[in-house]
Amino acid sequence: MKRIVTSVIFLSFFTCLTSSGQVGVDYDLKKPDKYENRSLGYEKTTETKWTVPRAFIQNTITHYNFFFNANNKLNDVLVRAKAQFREDYTQLLPFYNYTLETTSKDKRNLDSVIDKVNSAILLRDMRNSWADNMYMLMGRAYFYKNNLDSAHILFQFVNYAFAPRDPDGYPLPIGSNQETGGNAFTISTNEKENIAKKIFSEPPSRNESLIWLIRTYFQQDKLTKGAVLIEVLKHDPNFPARLQPSLHEMQALWFYKIKQYDSAAFYLSRALDNTIDEGEKGRWEYLIAQLYERTGHSAESKSWYEKSATYTIDPALEVYARLNAIRQNKGLGAKGDYIQKNLNALKRMAHKEIYEPYLDVIYYVAAEMELERNNKAEARSYFKKCIEHANGIGYNRDRAFLKLGWIFMDDKMYPQAKYAYDSVNVNNPAISDSLKVLLDRKQALSHIVPQILIIERQDSLQRIAGMTASERDSYIKKMLRAFRKQQGLAEEDNNGGSGGYGFKTNNTGADMFNSGSTGEWYFYNQGVKAKGYNDFKSKWGNRPNVDNWEAQSLINKQITGLTPASNLRLNGAETTPVAPVAPVLTAEALLEAVPLTPEKMQKSRDSIENALFILGKSLQDYIPDYYSALKAYDSLETRFPETRYYQEALYNQYYCYIHLDDSLNAARILALMKQKYPSGRYISLIENPPKGPEDLPARTLATRAYEKVYDQLIEGHFDEAAASKLKLDSMYGEKYWTPQLLYVEAVYYIHYRYDSIGKATLNKIITKYQGTGMAAKAKNMLRVLNERERIENYLRSLNVSRIPEDSIARVANAAALPKPADSAMAKQKAVNAEKIKKDSVGLTIKMPDPSQLKKQALFVSPYVWSPGSPQSVVLVMTRVDPVYVTESKNAFDRYNRENFYAKNYETSKISLSDTTKMMVIHGFENAAAAIAYLDKAGNAAPREIIPWLPAAKYFFIIIDDRNLEVLNANKDMSLYERFLQVYAPDKFPTVK
C-alpha cells in the first residue's frame, strides 16, 4: 500500500516537476505554512480504518464531485472537436471524426480536467473505488492534449499500480501461476467482482489502460509495439468481454494504418458496438463500405453502403451512401449494362423531392459513371447539370469545372477548357491538391486560346469579305438583328431612314412620359419604362453614371484609337482576340471590321500568320501537345508558303518529332532544313545544341524525381510511389510524364482491379503519345481490359478436366487439333521461325583460344558447359515487383506467338530470391539456337516487347536444364554470370 501511495504522490505532481523518477520513489513535499499541520485526504489512507461508512462517503464524493464532472467535461471536449470536423464523403474517411490537433486547442477545459483529477487524488482517501478511473481520466486528457508522452506514462502507471498483487501487496510477475485459475499467460485483470461493487463503481480501468496504450502507440506511429500488444490481448483468457469491441477497434485501426483495407473492414464491423450513437455507427458503416470497395469486394461494399444509408442521421452521408451503393452494382452482365442500370437509378433519385438539395452530387456521380465507360459527351452534360444545381458555390461545382477542364484538354478543346478553368474558385481549400496543375494549365491556355480566337475571327471576316455584295448585306443584317436582340434593343433603328447617321425626320416624337392610353405614371408602367430605357440605350449606348461622361467618352476614343507598339512590329496585325466594339450598332459599323480593302486584307492575313506560329510554339512549350503544334506549323506552311517564320517553324517541327520519338520524320525535316537553309543558325543549334534553357535545373530535378517514382513502382513500393507522384503532379502537372511511367502505373491499377483508374491512365497514353509503340501497347491492354469481365465469367463457367499423364493420350490429342489456316500472316510467322532456324544453323560457338582454355581450366564452379544440349533463354530481373514479372512473361508470350508461330516456346517464372526473379523461355535445341533467339528478342525487348521496363532492371542469359537446377539450388547468379563470361565471352562479355 505504501508503494501505491508514494506512486500516487509522484503522479499527482509530475506535471509541475522538471525531472522524473521511478514509480515508488518517495518525495518530501513542502506544504504552505498555513496548511503545514493539516493532513490531506491521501495522507489519511494509512492512518484511518477503512470502514463501510467511510467507504460509502469517500466513493460517493469522489464519484459525483470529481469523476462525474471531469468525465462530462472531457466528453464535451470531444463533442466540440467532432462538431468542427468536416467530412469529405468523396474520399476515404479518416478513422476517427476528430483530430488531436483540434482537441488540443481546447486547452482550458483539458487543464481543468487534469486539475480536478489532481484534487480528487490529493483530497480523497486512495482506497476508494474510483482512484484508477481518475488516473484514466488524466491519461485521456493528456492524450487529447496531444501530449502523448505524458499519456503513455499515465496509462503505464495504471497498468503497473493496479496490477494483481499477492497477499503481501507485491505485484504478481507476468507469467506467474499465482494468477486466478493458475494461467501463466495472462496480463489482464480478472474482472469477476461482487454484485455490490459492480453496481456502485466503474469496472477496473487497468484493462482499459491497455487499450489506450495501444492507441497511444499508434498515434506515435509505433505500429509494431501496438500490434504486439494486440496479439497478446487477443489470446489473453482474462481479457474481459466488455472490451472486445475496443480491441477489435484497435485491430481495425492497425490494418487501416498499414493499408490492409479488407482486414480493417472486417474488424471494424466487429467494433460497431463501440459507437455512441446512430450517427457514429452510420459513419463507420460508410467507412467499412469504402474499405471493401478499395479491395474489390463490390457485394460487401454495396451491403454496407445500404446499411449506412439506413442508420445515419446525416442527410449528406445518406445521399453519398446511396450513390455509392448504386456504383457498386456491378452485376454479371456487360459493363455498359450495369452502368446504364446505375444511371437509371440515379435519374430516379434526381426526380425525388427529398434529394433536391443534393442534385449536384447526383449529377456529379452520374458524370463519373459516364467517364467510366468513356462517354465524354454525356459526362460533360452531367457535369454542366451539376454546376447548374450547385447554386454557384460548393465543392462539387469546382470539382465539376476541374473535370470539364480535364475532358476539354484531353479532347484538345482549348477555348472550352480555358472557360472551365477560369470558372474554378482558386480560393476554395477543397481543391488545394489540384491548384498547382490548375494554375499551370491556366497559364498555358492564356497563351494558346487568344491565338485560336484570332484565327477563328480573321477567318470569319475573310469569309464575309469573300461573299458577293448582296450576300454580304443579307448576312450583316442578320448579324445586326441578332446583336440588337442580344442587347435588348429594337430590331430596327428608330432614327429614321437616314441609314443610321442620326438625321431627324419631320415626325413629332412621342412623349416618353405619356403613353396616351392611361393616366398611369411613367415609373409605374413597366412597359413604357422598358421602352424608354431601350430608346435611350439605342441612341446613347452604355453610358457610365458619372459627371461629364460625354467629354470623357471623346477622350477615351482618342486614347483607344492609338496603335499599340506591339502592332507596329507585326505590320498592324491583330494581337488580341477582342474585336473592337462599334459605338452604335449599324451595318456600316459592323462592316468596318471586314477586310474589304487590300490593306485590311493584308493585316488580316498577317494576323493569322502570326497567330499560327505563336499557337504552334505555345502548344509545344506550355502543354506540351506536339501533335497539335505540328498541325499548326503545317497550316502555317500551307497557307503562307513564303512565311518569314518558315525556318524557325521547321526547327520547331524537328523538335516536336524528336520528342515524339519519330526519328523518320525528324530526319526528313532536318534534310529539308539543310536543303533550304544550309548555313542557317537552326542547323547549328541541332548539330551543336546549347547547354539548355534557363529552367534546365528545374527540368532535371523533375525528371529525376519522376524516375525515382518509376523505380518505386517497378520495385513494388506502390504506396510510396503514389504519394510521391501525387506531390510531383501538384508541382509540375503533366509536363514530365513519360509513357513508360504511365504504363507501369496502369498495370499496377489493373492488377489490383482499380479498372476505371487504369483505363483512364491508358487513355492518357493513347491520347498524349499517338503513333508510338507504347500507345499501341496501351490500346491492346485497354481492349483486353474491356473484355476482362466477360472472359473471367467464361473461364469460371468452364468445366476443366486435367489431361491424363499418358504420352499416347497426349499424342492423340495433339493429332486431333486443327491445323492453322494458310494465311499471309501465318506464312510470315513461319518465315520468321525458319529464319531463326537458319540463323542458329549458321551460328557456331567460337572455339576458345589457348588463353581462354587456361581461364576455363582455372575457373571452378558447379556448372557444366554443354552447348549441344537443349537450352533456355532467361530474362533475369532485379528488384522488380511480381506484378511486372507477370506482365513481362505475358509480353514475351505475345511476342513469341506473333513472331515464332512454328516454335512451341514455353515460359515459366522462377523466384531466385526476394530481389531476383527469372522468366524462363524453354524449347531451344542448343546454345546456338538460344543465342540466335536472344540476338533478335534481346534487341526488340527495349523497343517493342518490354519498353516500359528500365534496361538497368534486367539482363539475359542462356542456361541448360542441369545448370538451371544448380542455380535454383545455390541462388548464386553472379557465379553463373562469371561462368558464361568464361565459356562464352563473345556473347556474354565481362562488364567493366
Side-chain angles (χ1 to χ4, degrees):
M1 184 61 67
K2 185 178 179 180
R3 292 168 62 88
I4 296 179
V5 172
T6 53
S7 301
V8 166
I9 295 171
F10 162 65
L11 260 300
S12 302
F13 291 92
F14 90 100
T15 55
C16 60
L17 295 175
T18 57
S19 61
S20 61
Q22 288 188 341
V23 176
V25 178
D26 198 358
Y27 286 91
D28 184 14
L29 300 175
K30 179 69 175 175
K31 295 180 184 178
D33 295 338
K34 184 177 179 180
Y35 302 100
E36 188 175 0
N37 297 321
R38 295 182 60 178
S39 297
L40 296 175
Y42 81 92
E43 293 176 313
K44 298 178 183 179
T45 300
T46 58
E47 299 173 359
T48 59
K49 292 183 178 180
W50 187 246
T51 61
V52 174
R54 181 173 179 79
F56 177 77
I57 293 172
Q58 292 294 325
N59 285 335
T60 303
I61 294 175
T62 305
H63 180 193
Y64 292 106
N65 281 18
F66 295 98
F67 179 83
F68 179 81
N69 293 326
N71 189 51
N72 284 349
K73 186 167 286 190
L74 196 60
N75 289 336
D76 289 342
V77 169
L78 205 56
V79 168
R80 283 190 291 271
K82 291 178 180 179
Q84 297 177 42
F85 193 78
R86 292 291 175 266
E87 303 278 14
D88 183 0
Y89 297 115
T90 63
Q91 305 296 325
L92 181 66
L93 295 183
F95 197 85
Y96 293 106
N97 56 342
Y98 62 91
T99 63
L100 297 189
E101 288 74 16
T102 305
T103 56
S104 62
K105 293 177 182 177
D106 206 344
K107 184 175 181 297
R108 177 169 164 271
N109 287 296
L110 292 172
D111 287 342
S112 175
V113 171
I114 295 171
D115 290 341
K116 191 166 282 292
V117 171
N118 275 323
S119 299
I121 292 170
L122 292 172
L123 300 178
R124 310 320 309 169
D125 193 313
M126 290 306 301
R127 289 169 292 185
N128 72 76
S129 301
W130 298 89
D132 56 340
N133 305 122
M134 299 304 297
Y135 280 113
M136 278 301 302
L137 278 182
M138 182 184 283
R140 288 171 56 199
Y142 277 114
F143 182 85
Y144 291 138
K145 283 185 71 174
N146 207 12
N147 193 340
L148 301 177
D149 290 336
S150 299
H152 178 266
I153 291 172
L154 262 299
F155 298 139
Q156 281 282 39
F157 171 76
V158 174
N159 175 34
Y160 168 77
F162 297 93
R165 297 178 179 274
D166 62 17
D168 296 327
Y170 292 98
L172 295 174
I174 293 177
S176 171
N177 283 322
Q178 299 178 51
E179 179 60 52
T180 303
N183 196 319
F185 303 102
T186 179
I187 64 170
S188 304
T189 300
N190 195 323
E191 295 188 356
K192 292 180 180 179
E193 297 175 339
N194 58 65
I195 297 176
K197 194 167 184 178
K198 287 185 177 180
I199 294 174
F200 295 106
S201 66
E202 288 282 301
S205 293
R206 182 174 176 273
N207 294 326
E208 189 179 350
S209 72
L210 297 174
I211 295 293
W212 279 92
L213 197 57
I214 295 171
R215 187 168 174 191
T216 305
Y217 282 139
F218 287 161
Q219 193 67 33
Q220 294 173 317
D221 289 329
K222 298 176 181 178
L223 301 182
T224 304
K225 288 186 175 182
V228 169
L229 191 49
I230 286 175
E231 288 301 313
V232 172
L233 294 179
K234 277 172 60 178
H235 301 93
D236 193 324
N238 284 339
F239 192 73
R242 69 178 180 87
L243 290 179
Q244 285 296 332
S246 298
L247 184 59
H248 294 321
E249 178 182 334
M250 291 302 101
Q251 288 178 278
L253 179 59
W254 177 41
F255 286 118
Y256 180 91
K257 283 183 170 291
I258 64 176
K259 293 183 172 56
Q260 290 188 16
Y261 291 139
D262 50 351
S263 298
F266 172 76
Y267 284 107
L268 189 57
S269 65
R270 302 178 68 181
L272 291 177
D273 290 341
N274 243 20
T275 55
I276 59 176
D277 56 33
E278 293 296 327
E280 296 270 336
K281 184 176 182 181
R283 181 187 182 275
W284 265 2
E285 288 171 339
Y286 187 88
L287 176 56
I288 292 169
Q290 287 184 311
L291 296 172
Y292 275 128
E293 180 181 358
R294 274 159 175 72
T295 52
H297 296 82
S298 299
E300 292 87 348
S301 177
K302 181 175 183 291
S303 173
W304 282 103
Y305 276 131
E306 291 172 346
K307 289 180 182 179
S308 175
T310 303
Y311 291 113
T312 185
I313 57 177
D314 182 356
L317 176 57
E318 179 189 356
V319 170
Y320 279 103
R322 295 196 184 281
L323 292 175
N324 285 318
I326 292 172
R327 289 178 62 246
Q328 301 312 308
N329 184 24
K330 302 297 184 182
L332 297 176
K335 177 180 177 181
D337 295 339
Y338 76 75
I339 289 180
Q340 189 58 52
K341 290 178 181 178
N342 294 343
L343 286 170
N344 294 338
L346 289 176
K347 290 176 183 177
R348 289 193 294 271
M349 285 183 68
H351 292 150
K352 294 181 180 180
E353 186 176 356
I354 189 175
Y355 297 118
E356 187 173 351
Y358 304 99
L359 285 176
D360 57 334
V361 181
I362 294 172
Y363 287 128
Y364 185 88
V365 173
E368 290 276 14
M369 288 184 179
E370 290 290 5
L371 281 181
E372 190 174 345
R373 60 178 181 180
N374 205 29
N375 189 352
K376 294 182 180 179
E378 284 298 320
R380 289 200 300 264
S381 174
Y382 281 124
F383 279 132
K384 290 176 182 177
K385 288 182 179 180
C386 169
I387 294 166
E388 291 172 4
H389 289 85
N391 298 321
I393 57 175
Y395 176 48
N396 287 316
R397 171 192 176 276
D398 290 326
R399 288 202 307 158
F401 272 124
L402 282 173
K403 287 284 187 177
L404 279 174
W406 174 80
I407 293 172
F408 288 135
M409 289 287 288
D410 203 41
D411 291 341
K412 306 185 189 307
M413 301 168 67
Y414 296 121
Q416 293 87 337
K418 185 176 188 302
Y419 167 77
Y421 287 137
D422 287 344
S423 301
V424 176
N425 176 17
V426 296
N427 296 318
N428 186 350
I431 63 164
S432 57
D433 292 342
S434 306
L435 187 59
K436 181 66 171 65
V437 177
L438 171 65
L439 296 178
D440 283 350
R441 289 190 170 185
K442 287 182 69 172
Q443 181 185 12
L445 293 172
S446 68
H447 292 84
I448 293 169
V449 174
Q451 309 310 319
I452 295 175
L453 297 181
I454 288 173
I455 295 169
E456 291 177 352
R457 169 177 155 74
Q458 294 300 331
D459 281 342
S460 299
L461 292 175
Q462 288 185 19
R463 281 196 297 270
I464 296 173
M467 297 178 180
T468 63
S470 60
E471 291 175 341
R472 187 163 52 245
D473 289 342
S474 175
Y475 184 78
I476 291 295
K477 287 179 180 179
K478 289 181 181 179
M479 287 182 62
L480 183 60
R481 284 195 295 270
F483 282 145
R484 296 180 68 86
K485 185 176 181 181
Q486 184 179 3
Q487 297 188 16
L489 305 178
E491 289 193 3
E492 298 296 335
D493 197 340
N494 294 325
N495 289 331
S498 58
Y501 288 98
F503 296 117
K504 294 183 179 180
T505 66
N506 293 328
N507 296 332
T508 303
D511 185 0
M512 62 183 290
F513 292 99
N514 185 8
S515 64
S517 59
T518 66
E520 188 177 15
W521 191 38
Y522 165 78
F523 290 104
Y524 287 166
N525 190 325
Q526 295 301 321
V528 177
K529 183 179 176 182
K531 182 177 181 300
Y533 173 78
N534 289 333
D535 288 344
F536 179 88
K537 192 171 182 180
S538 176
K539 183 175 182 180
W540 301 107
N542 293 316
R543 298 297 182 182
N545 187 19
V546 295
D547 294 335
N548 301 319
W549 53 265
E550 190 169 9
Q552 185 64 39
S553 177
L554 294 174
I555 296 172
N556 290 339
K557 280 186 179 181
Q558 293 178 359
I559 293 174
T560 56
L562 296 175
T563 303
S566 59
N567 282 4
L568 297 176
R569 295 195 301 271
L570 299 175
N571 302 324
E574 182 182 1
T575 57
T576 62
V578 180
V581 179
V584 180
L585 285 175
T586 63
E588 287 75 9
L590 294 177
L591 279 171
E592 185 65 26
V594 179
L596 295 175
T597 64
E599 294 81 6
K600 288 185 176 181
M601 180 59 73
Q602 185 57 45
K603 286 183 180 180
S604 177
R605 289 176 57 81
D606 288 343
S607 298
I608 296 176
E609 180 183 356
N610 296 328
L612 281 172
F613 179 72
I614 297 172
L615 176 61
K617 276 190 67 65
S618 300
L619 286 168
Q620 90 181 34
D621 291 339
Y622 290 105
I623 299 294
D625 180 359
Y626 298 119
Y627 285 104
S628 297
L630 287 170
K631 290 180 182 178
Y633 293 132
D634 287 341
S635 297
L636 174 66
E637 295 165 6
T638 302
R639 297 179 64 173
F640 305 97
E642 304 299 324
T643 177
R644 60 185 182 279
Y645 300 117
Y646 193 80
Q647 184 179 1
E648 189 173 355
L650 287 176
Y651 172 75
N652 290 338
Q653 285 177 286
Y654 174 84
Y655 174 89
C656 292
Y657 282 124
I658 288 295
H659 278 75
L660 290 172
D661 199 22
D662 190 344
S663 56
L664 292 178
N665 277 311
R668 176 179 61 82
I669 294 295
L670 181 59
L672 184 61
M673 291 177 67
K674 289 181 177 180
Q675 177 186 346
K676 288 184 172 290
Y677 308 100
S679 59
R681 69 185 186 94
Y682 292 106
I683 296 291
S684 61
L685 283 177
I686 294 173
E687 295 177 346
N688 301 296
K691 293 181 179 179
E694 294 180 359
D695 66 338
L696 184 59
R699 290 174 180 266
T700 304
L701 288 174
T703 302
R704 288 176 180 171
Y706 275 106
E707 287 175 353
K708 185 177 179 181
V709 173
Y710 186 23
D711 288 339
Q712 287 175 333
L713 281 170
I714 289 293
E715 294 174 9
H717 306 305
F718 300 123
D719 293 335
E720 295 90 335
S724 301
K725 186 173 181 296
L726 184 64
K727 182 178 179 181
L728 291 173
D729 290 349
S730 67
M731 295 170 58
Y732 302 112
E734 303 176 4
K735 292 181 182 179
Y736 304 104
W737 286 0
T738 63
Q740 291 82 4
L741 170 65
L742 293 177
Y743 188 85
V744 168
E745 187 181 9
V747 169
Y748 158 68
Y749 286 130
I750 292 165
H751 178 78
Y752 289 100
R753 306 192 76 86
Y754 298 126
D755 288 1
S756 58
I757 306 176
K759 289 177 182 178
T761 308
L762 291 173
N763 280 319
K764 287 178 184 176
I765 300 174
I766 296 168
T767 304
K768 289 177 67 67
Y769 306 98
Q770 299 176 18
T772 63
M774 292 305 303
K777 284 190 170 294
K779 287 180 181 177
N780 183 58
M781 179 169 283
L782 190 60
R783 176 183 59 79
V784 175
L785 184 59
N786 288 331
E787 296 291 322
R788 174 155 82 171
E789 189 170 1
R790 184 184 62 81
I791 294 171
E792 288 177 346
N793 290 335
Y794 170 73
L795 293 176
R796 278 195 291 266
S797 65
L798 287 178
N799 184 14
V800 180
S801 58
R802 292 180 60 86
I803 298 176
E805 296 296 333
D806 187 344
S807 59
I808 298 177
R810 287 184 178 274
V811 171
N813 288 335
L817 290 174
K819 294 186 178 181
D822 187 12
S823 62
M825 184 177 294
K827 288 180 180 179
Q828 183 60 42
K829 292 175 181 176
V831 168
N832 290 339
E834 187 64 27
K835 191 172 187 296
I836 288 288
K837 184 176 181 180
K838 290 179 179 178
D839 290 344
S840 64
V841 171
L843 183 67
T844 58
I845 303 298
K846 183 180 177 181
M847 294 298 295
D849 55 26
S851 64
Q852 193 66 31
L853 286 172
K854 183 178 180 181
K855 288 181 180 179
Q856 294 176 5
L858 295 175
F859 185 77
V860 178
S861 76
Y863 304 110
V864 177
W865 179 242
S866 304
S869 61
Q871 301 281 332
S872 300
V873 174
V874 181
L875 174 68
V876 183
M877 291 166 275
T878 56
R879 298 189 182 278
V880 176
D881 188 80
V883 172
Y884 305 109
V885 175
T886 301
E887 181 60 22
S888 300
K889 177 182 178 298
N890 295 337
F892 272 92
D893 283 340
R894 286 191 296 269
Y895 176 78
N896 292 336
R897 278 197 310 270
E898 293 171 0
N899 294 276
F900 306 107
Y901 182 84
K903 295 291 184 180
N904 186 24
Y905 295 136
E906 295 183 359
T907 57
S908 62
K909 296 181 295 182
I910 297 176
S911 179
L912 196 64
S913 67
D914 291 340
T915 58
T916 305
K917 306 290 189 295
M918 299 192 302
M919 190 274 295
V920 186
I921 306 175
H922 308 272
F924 299 96
E925 297 86 354
N926 49 43
I931 290 175
Y933 172 86
L934 188 56
D935 287 341
K936 288 181 169 52
N939 291 329
R943 295 180 291 101
E944 179 183 350
I945 307 174
I946 47 174
W948 44 268
L949 188 62
K953 291 288 184 183
Y954 66 89
F955 60 90
F956 291 94
I957 61 172
I958 64 170
I959 193 168
D960 60 26
D961 292 343
R962 179 192 175 281
N963 288 338
L964 182 59
E965 290 180 5
V966 175
L967 176 61
N968 201 19
N970 63 27
K971 312 293 184 184
D972 194 347
M973 177 59 72
S974 59
L975 178 62
Y976 188 77
E977 287 184 77
R978 294 197 302 273
F979 169 77
L980 287 177
Q981 292 163 5
V982 169
Y983 284 90
D986 54 331
K987 296 301 179 183
F988 301 97
T990 303
V991 179
K992 296 182 180 180

